[in-house]
Amino acid sequence: MPEDVSLTTVAARAGVSISTVSRIVNGETRRASAATIARVRDAIEAVGYRPNPVGRALRRRQSQVVGMLVANLDNPAMATIASSTEAALRSAGYVMMLCDTHDRADLQDDYLSALRAQLVRGFVMVASVPSKGLADLSAEGAPMVFVTRRAPAGRGPFVGIDDRAAGAAVADRFIDEGRRAPAVAFPQQGSSATRDRVLGFLARLAERGRPAASVIQGEGSGLSHLQVGYEAAEKIFSAGDKPDAILCVSDQIAYGVRRRALERGLDVPGDCSLVSIDGSPLNKWVAPWLVSVEIPYIAYGQEVLASLNAIWTGSASMDRLLPYRF
Amino acid sequence: MPEDVSLTTVAARAGVSISTVSRIVNGETRRASAATIARVRDAIEAVGYRPNPVGRALRRRQSQVVGMLVANLDNPAMATIASSTEAALRSAGYVMMLCDTHDRADLQDDYLSALRAQLVRGFVMVASVPSKGLADLSAEGAPMVFVTRRAPAGRGPFVGIDDRAAGAAVADRFIDEGRRAPAVAFPQQGSSATRDRVLGFLARLAERGRPAASVIQGEGSGLSHLQVGYEAAEKIFSAGDKPDAILCVSDQIAYGVRRRALERGLDVPGDCSLVSIDGSPLNKWVAPWLVSVEIPYIAYGQEVLASLNAIWTGSASMDRLLPYRF
DNA sequence: TCTCATTTGGCAAACGTTTGCCAAAGCTGT
DNA sequence: ACAGCTTTGGCAAACGTTTGCCAAATGAGA
């Protein structure tokens, strides 16, 4: 299958000019007679012509590529988002270019500029980090949608869940279950997502008669949420009050908390129940002790696509909040 | 930052022709005087010129893009491979385009032809599936490296571990530990990787006096290895002999086996120890009961790059087997 | 000073598209 | 038969790059 078939090949075979073929390929049916169109279509079929995306991008000054920057592909949730977004984009005729920023601002900027040079059509920022390049690009009005974490600069369409509400839902559950000593484990330098979950949780508890001061709060630092959970748990378990229910703002934090709990000889959920926000399908298999608010990461892809489409067509860019499920 | 700076911009500013600038950008230092080179370099710096990859690809008929097809991004091992490969390629000046084939031949072919149209420089097939498009492309001699699973057609450079040896290593361990009733859990329609692991395991056991017929073999079917393990375990546990050590050919299979074991009231590793081949870092946190042969997925990226480099420079394409660690 | 080789650099033609503009042909109504 | 409009389609110029070829300028040797 020699792939050196271009508009010229088709034009020669159909006995028309390349302009005509180009127009027909692009659906400009009003610029050619029905007979010509049929002849060209046949020729296209016969030689197996496929438009060359590179030539097209050069001329149009815009490619079919959408760039996706993800903070950490090793995080299963982000991998799922990447996978579903790739599928959605592909089915709409776009291709996705994926970059792993490792949560580093400098890498993020490198990737942004490389992608821009590729004339990408849009950017999908999954858990972006604040950076100069991002701010610039955003200010220029580049098509950009933020997933999981909101835009550092504030404005920018967002795909995710209502993090505050999710936190509040866990609070409600704890109260309804009659928990005496609720706690929360979260990362020291959290993103908008983890922060909002904690805030929603504490706010709802306060509304229902449990002021924030009475809630055991454990924060952890470290690169991975596993480590964060492990550290946060230490603080929580060595607090004066013994917690009987802990909100972990992500699955991985819950894994870390649980490990520390085991090391301390605590039974989960016997002595202390763990609730997390994420809901990886893996939990059912490796963490049956964990109750989780399930986030439909698998559905993120189509929302991202819808959001990009809205931007491209000039509609108002609005946030897309997906339903979570307890 | 208006990004409409091209060779023309630089040429005008430096007072030379675009040919000269192009040659200097591409390191053809012998085609211009030192003074000219300096002047051009300054101009490049001043206007912030970056070569346009699209124009370049069109002219060179070859882009800096490397296409990566992965069977399932939700699999943490593959996500890690994708991440490390992306990093390695990026640091060598390439960009990676990632596609998730969901292990489907038709999608794989779609992606292959889309990537080819993008004039990609090479293909990285992570756990590829046999397909017509793959066979054609491979026959044409497209630069292609196979990761984790060997080329369906046989020939093609491979990056992975020595799967038979890994299986054998587990066999040795079982014998050395004095296990009475070893078993193995594996997928019904396995890849070259899982097949080789089982073969290596059984062969070594046979060498050391345990003919294959005496080994409990449980195969499972299903989309995910979790399910495979769950099914395989059922067969293994309901066999006449009660196993006291099971080789699970992947981490996820081990998770499935363990779940079934729990349901049957078996203690792991008390009643029966589990050994898997994969070694996800997550194991330490969520599956401390699992012993694993650790595969250095994080190091795959650089090997993939090295393999591609070998192909591009015309060297003999050889397999790259990485060391595993018990 | 002349010849010849080397250095230095520009011209122009590609690569595969898209699209503004022009022109030929076909129609309509007078 | 003629003006004017619509349909149909081609020409050619871009988009940003690379590169074969040619030419001017420089330098060396005679």
Side-chain angles (χ1 to χ4, degrees):
Chain A
M1 314 264 126
E3 197 62 43
D4 52 356
V5 27
S6 70
L7 281 183
T8 314
T9 326
V10 178
R13 190 170 225 274
V16 295
S17 76
I18 61 167
S19 333
T20 303
V21 181
S22 170
R23 283 193 269 255
I24 291 174
V25 166
N26 290 29
E28 279 241 21
T29 53
R30 285 206 276 239
R31 294 300 308 274
S33 66
T36 307
I37 292 181
R39 205 146 30 90
V40 169
R41 291 247 161 86
D42 286 351
I44 287 176
E45 189 72 23
V47 302
Y49 170 75
R50 309 272 303 158
N52 180 325
V54 177
R56 185 173 269 186
L58 181 59
R59 171 61 219 225
R60 290 196 184 150
R61 310 179 65 79
Q62 167 139 286
S63 74
Q64 292 295 100
V65 177
V66 171
M68 177 166 200
L69 273 69
V70 34
N72 187 355
L73 209 46
D74 281 342
N75 181 325
M78 298 197 191
T80 301
I81 294 173
S83 170
S84 82
T85 303
E86 198 265 345
L89 287 172
R90 179 80 57 173
S91 74
Y94 304 104
V95 301
M96 184 179 97
M97 208 172 256
L98 182 71
C99 308
D100 188 331
T101 67
H102 294 94
D103 236 333
R104 281 171 47 187
D106 57 335
L107 271 182
Q108 177 172 284
D109 278 354
D110 281 357
Y111 292 162
L112 283 176
S113 92
L115 287 171
R116 187 229 286 264
Q118 295 274 347
L119 307 180
V120 299
R121 221 168 214 277
F123 298 85
V124 181
M125 311 293 303
V126 183
S128 67
V129 73
S131 78
K132 167 150 175 37
L134 178 56
D136 290 350
L137 213 51
S138 179
E140 276 176 48
M144 190 176 288
V145 27
F146 294 84
V147 184
T148 288
R149 289 188 202 156
R150 289 180 184 274
R155 287 264 84 47
F158 172 74
V159 171
I161 63 165
D162 183 338
D163 288 300
R164 297 184 71 105
V170 177
D172 281 334
R173 182 182 175 113
F174 282 180
I175 299 266
D176 294 345
E177 287 176 345
R179 300 291 177 179
R180 296 170 302 94
V184 56
F186 56 95
Q188 193 162 31
Q189 42 219 15
S191 57
S192 71
T194 55
R195 242 184 346 254
D196 285 351
R197 290 172 194 177
V198 175
L199 289 176
F201 176 71
L202 294 177
R204 178 63 50 86
L205 283 182
E207 278 172 31
R208 300 190 62 180
R210 309 264 337 194
S214 75
V215 177
I216 312 168
Q217 300 181 31
E219 57 178 27
S221 63
L223 318 101
S224 79
H225 273 201
L226 295 162
Q227 193 63 36
V228 166
Y230 193 69
E231 284 187 24
E234 180 57 23
K235 295 186 186 153
I236 291 173
F237 291 137
S238 49
D241 238 10
K242 292 303 164 214
D244 60 350
I246 306 177
L247 162 61
C248 306
V249 296
S250 79
D251 279 350
Q252 305 226 335
I253 289 180
Y255 301 161
V257 169
R258 144 89 168 185
R259 186 178 179 197
R260 179 73 82 177
L262 280 190
E263 289 176 4
R264 285 197 158 238
L266 293 169
D267 181 44
V268 173
D271 297 321
C272 175
S273 95
L274 257 40
V275 173
S276 73
I277 300 181
D278 249 356
S280 162
L282 208 58
N283 290 347
K284 183 173 89 173
W285 299 86
V286 297
W289 40 266
L290 180 61
V291 171
S292 199
V293 174
E294 191 185 321
I295 302 178
Y297 290 118
I298 200 93
Y300 275 37
Q302 52 200 343
E303 297 301 320
V304 168
L305 175 60
S307 192
L308 283 172
N309 270 327
I311 298 175
W312 289 330
T313 62
S315 321
S317 69
M318 55 169 207
D319 289 352
R320 290 166 188 273
L321 298 182
L322 283 88
Y324 50 80
R325 207 164 55 85
F326 226 136
Chain B
M1 314 265 127
E3 196 63 44
D4 52 356
V5 30
S6 70
L7 281 184
T8 314
T9 326
V10 178
R13 190 171 227 273
V16 295
S17 76
I18 61 167
S19 335
T20 302
V21 181
S22 169
R23 282 193 270 254
I24 290 174
V25 165
N26 290 35
E28 280 240 20
T29 53
R30 286 207 274 238
R31 292 299 309 275
S33 66
T36 307
I37 293 182
R39 204 145 31 91
V40 169
R41 290 248 162 87
D42 286 351
I44 288 176
E45 190 69 23
V47 301
Y49 169 76
R50 308 274 303 159
N52 179 325
V54 178
R56 184 174 269 186
L58 181 59
R59 170 61 218 227
R60 290 197 185 151
R61 312 178 62 80
Q62 169 141 284
S63 72
Q64 291 296 97
V65 178
V66 171
M68 177 167 202
L69 273 71
V70 36
N72 188 353
L73 209 47
D74 281 341
N75 181 325
M78 297 196 192
T80 301
I81 293 173
S83 169
S84 82
T85 302
E86 198 264 346
L89 287 171
R90 179 79 57 175
S91 74
Y94 304 104
V95 300
M96 185 178 97
M97 207 171 256
L98 182 71
C99 308
D100 188 331
T101 67
H102 294 96
D103 237 333
R104 281 171 47 187
D106 57 334
L107 270 182
Q108 178 173 283
D109 278 355
D110 281 357
Y111 291 162
L112 283 176
S113 91
L115 287 171
R116 188 229 286 265
Q118 296 273 347
L119 307 180
V120 298
R121 221 165 213 277
F123 298 86
V124 181
M125 311 292 304
V126 182
S128 68
V129 73
S131 78
K132 170 151 173 34
L134 177 56
D136 290 350
L137 212 52
S138 178
E140 276 176 47
M144 191 176 286
V145 27
F146 294 85
V147 184
T148 288
R149 291 187 199 156
R150 289 178 183 274
R155 287 264 82 49
F158 172 74
V159 171
I161 61 163
D162 184 338
D163 288 301
R164 299 184 70 105
V170 176
D172 280 336
R173 181 183 177 112
F174 282 0
I175 299 266
D176 294 346
E177 288 177 344
R179 299 292 176 180
R180 294 170 304 91
V184 55
F186 57 95
Q188 192 160 34
Q189 40 218 14
S191 58
S192 70
T194 56
R195 243 185 344 255
D196 285 351
R197 290 172 193 176
V198 174
L199 289 176
F201 176 71
L202 293 177
R204 178 62 52 87
L205 283 182
E207 277 172 30
R208 300 190 62 178
R210 307 267 336 196
S214 74
V215 178
I216 313 167
Q217 301 181 30
E219 57 178 28
S221 63
L223 318 102
S224 79
H225 273 200
L226 296 161
Q227 193 63 37
V228 166
Y230 193 67
E231 283 187 24
E234 180 56 23
K235 293 187 187 152
I236 290 172
F237 291 137
S238 51
D241 236 9
K242 291 304 166 216
D244 59 351
I246 307 178
L247 163 61
C248 306
V249 296
S250 79
D251 278 350
Q252 305 225 335
I253 289 180
Y255 300 161
V257 169
R258 144 89 168 186
R259 185 177 181 196
R260 180 73 83 176
L262 280 190
E263 288 176 6
R264 285 194 158 239
L266 293 168
D267 180 45
V268 174
D271 298 322
C272 176
S273 94
L274 256 41
V275 172
S276 72
I277 300 180
D278 250 355
S280 161
L282 208 57
N283 290 348
K284 182 173 90 174
W285 298 86
V286 296
W289 39 266
L290 179 62
V291 171
S292 199
V293 173
E294 191 184 322
I295 303 179
Y297 290 118
I298 201 92
Y300 275 37
Q302 50 199 344
E303 297 301 319
V304 167
L305 174 61
S307 193
L308 283 172
N309 270 328
I311 298 176
W312 289 330
T313 60
S315 321
S317 70
M318 56 168 207
D319 290 352
R320 287 164 190 275
L321 298 182
L322 283 88
Y324 51 81
R325 207 164 56 85
F326 225 137

